[in-house]
């Protein structure tokens, strides 16, 4: 079924339809062919910049997939692409996105960027990206949960405690990542309470 979809998207891509490149990247991610997904996403980015069409939403999926696969260098590389798009013109949302969608997209990219940097041991840069994410959406858990880990690595116990509290406050057990972090938060805060 995915291979059939891929064939159809390739036909559309030959016609210069930007969304087809994005869809090819998404299918490649589902098939865990991240190199191919990277290639399709690069073509999508080039096409989208040229004709100012809807952004390549597979970018967030690819960054997340690289984090899952522990390929942090590629996660950082693609997160930088998404962040660069935003910092180039932060006041003007990308064509095809509402301001709310655009803000949510940037929150996700910045959070994944911070996560990948943290996983690489680049705590100071991770903190910077996660703080930016937190400032975009102050009532979402992921940036706080990851910031708590940054603060712990930096031996900043008051910062870690505050971030773990926010992680618990805004987190949801429905989300697998947040569920894991909520468990970490409860454990860390219980140890501090002893």
């Amino acid at each position: 079924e995915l291979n059939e979809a891929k064939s159809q998207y390739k036909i559309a891509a030959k016609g210069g339809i930007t969304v087809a490149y994005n869809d090819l990247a998404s299918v490649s991610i589902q098939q865990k062919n991240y190199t191919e997904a990277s290639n399709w996403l690069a073509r999508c980015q080039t096409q989208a910049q040229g004709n100012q069409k809807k952004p390549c939403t597979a970018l967030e999926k690819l960054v997340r997939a690289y984090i899952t696969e522990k390929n942090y260098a590629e996660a950082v590389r693609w997160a930088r692409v998404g962040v660069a798009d935003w910092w180039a013109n932060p006041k003007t949302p990308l064509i095809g996105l509402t301001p709310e969608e655009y803000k949510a997209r940037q929150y996700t990219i910045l959070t994944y960027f911070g996560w990948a940097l943290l996983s690489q041991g680049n705590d100071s840069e991770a903190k910077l990206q996660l703080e930016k994410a937190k400032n975009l959406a102050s009532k979402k858990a992921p940036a706080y949960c990851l910031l708590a880990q940054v603060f712990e690595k930096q031996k900043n116990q008051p910062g870690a405690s505050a971030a773990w509290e926010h992680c618990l406050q805004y987190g949801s057990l429905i989300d697998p990542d947040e569920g894991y972090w909520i468990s970490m938060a409860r454990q860390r805060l219980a140890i501090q309470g002893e």
Side-chain angles (χ1 to χ4, degrees):
E1 189 173 292
L2 287 177
N3 287 330
E4 178 59 31
K6 204 176 211 177
S7 296
Q8 295 300 314
Y9 293 142
K10 283 181 181 179
I11 292 167
K14 285 180 184 177
I17 300 172
T18 304
V19 72
Y21 293 112
N22 186 70
D23 292 340
L24 282 162
S26 292
V27 169
S28 297
I29 291 165
Q30 287 179 310
Q31 293 176 326
K32 298 186 185 284
N33 187 341
Y34 304 123
T35 302
E36 185 176 82
S38 290
N39 291 334
W40 287 121
L41 188 56
R43 291 177 75 179
C44 182
Q45 292 286 113
T46 301
Q47 186 82 5
Q49 289 169 353
N51 60 21
Q52 300 211 348
K53 296 288 182 183
K54 192 168 184 170
C56 303
T57 56
L59 189 140
E60 297 96 276
K61 294 176 193 170
L62 185 60
V63 173
R64 178 66 174 94
Y66 277 131
I67 290 170
T68 302
E69 295 295 314
K70 298 184 181 351
N71 188 341
Y72 304 119
E74 283 298 304
V76 165
R77 179 174 83 89
W78 279 106
R80 282 191 200 284
V81 169
V83 169
D85 286 349
W86 185 57
W87 289 116
N89 199 354
K91 301 258 188 245
T92 307
L94 292 170
I95 307 258
L97 293 179
T98 68
E100 294 79 23
E101 290 169 331
Y102 184 71
K103 190 174 176 181
R105 181 176 194 251
Q106 290 315 306
Y107 175 85
T108 300
I109 292 170
L110 288 165
T111 301
Y112 288 167
F113 194 12
W115 189 356
L117 290 163
L118 172 64
S119 299
Q120 286 183 320
N122 189 344
D123 302 342
S124 59
E125 182 68 15
K127 181 181 176 213
L128 178 67
Q129 301 307 326
L130 293 166
E131 290 284 355
K132 289 176 189 175
K134 182 185 78 164
N135 291 337
L136 285 172
S138 63
K139 293 188 178 185
K140 291 183 85 172
Y144 287 110
C145 302
L146 292 162
L147 268 171
Q149 295 170 62
V150 169
F151 289 137
E152 284 182 346
K153 289 179 86 176
Q154 294 177 337
K155 308 285 189 233
N156 176 348
Q157 202 52 48
S161 294
W164 283 128
E165 289 286 347
H166 285 99
C167 178
L168 275 176
Q169 182 180 0
Y170 301 124
S172 168
L173 293 172
I174 295 170
D175 181 285
D177 293 327
E178 290 181 31
Y180 175 73
W181 293 325
I182 286 169
S183 175
M184 285 179 69
R186 287 180 179 151
Q187 181 185 37
R188 300 301 203 285
L189 293 171
I191 290 170
Q192 291 173 17
E194 293 177 354

